[in-house]
Amino acid sequence: MTAKLVMQFRSGNNVTVEPEREKLTPRERETMVCLARGESNKEIARNLDVAESTIKIHVQNILKKLNLSSRVQIAVYAVEHGMDK
């Protein structure tokens, strides 16, 4: 894994270390999948059968755990890491 990170660093890619991704809860991962599909908080809440405020908390947790700054970055991260399926 170290060689992979070095290669990505050398190529200029902004890399989030895999162990950070491992810190995500299953519900946070589901939220990321929904964001990658372009769903709103309201749609995600309905699909996952939780309150919309819970989704907002999941999004904030994801941003913090993966050191991202926007919902768009979450969606891109999910697609780049094959989580959008």
Side-chain angles (χ1 to χ4, degrees):
M1 178 152 126
T2 304
K4 179 181 173 185
L5 290 173
V6 169
M7 291 303 292
Q8 289 179 332
F9 177 76
R10 286 183 181 162
S11 68
N13 291 337
N14 186 1
V15 177
T16 299
V17 180
E18 291 300 317
E20 290 178 358
R21 190 167 122 198
E22 297 298 319
K23 295 178 185 175
L24 297 172
T25 66
R27 188 62 86 179
E28 290 167 347
R29 290 172 191 246
E30 290 177 71
T31 300
M32 288 181 73
V33 170
C34 293
L35 288 170
R37 290 190 296 228
E39 295 179 14
S40 68
N41 283 356
K42 190 174 197 171
E43 291 169 319
I44 297 169
R46 185 179 63 242
N47 291 340
L48 300 181
D49 195 30
V50 297
E52 192 172 343
S53 60
T54 302
I55 298 303
K56 290 178 183 178
I57 292 168
H58 288 321
V59 170
Q60 290 304 313
N61 289 342
I62 294 165
L63 291 171
K64 184 176 179 181
K65 289 178 180 180
L66 298 179
N67 196 30
L68 302 173
S69 60
S70 71
R71 293 169 56 95
V72 172
Q73 285 184 334
I74 293 173
V76 169
Y77 181 95
V79 171
E80 287 178 346
H81 289 84
M83 300 172 70
D84 61 325
K85 313 245 184 303

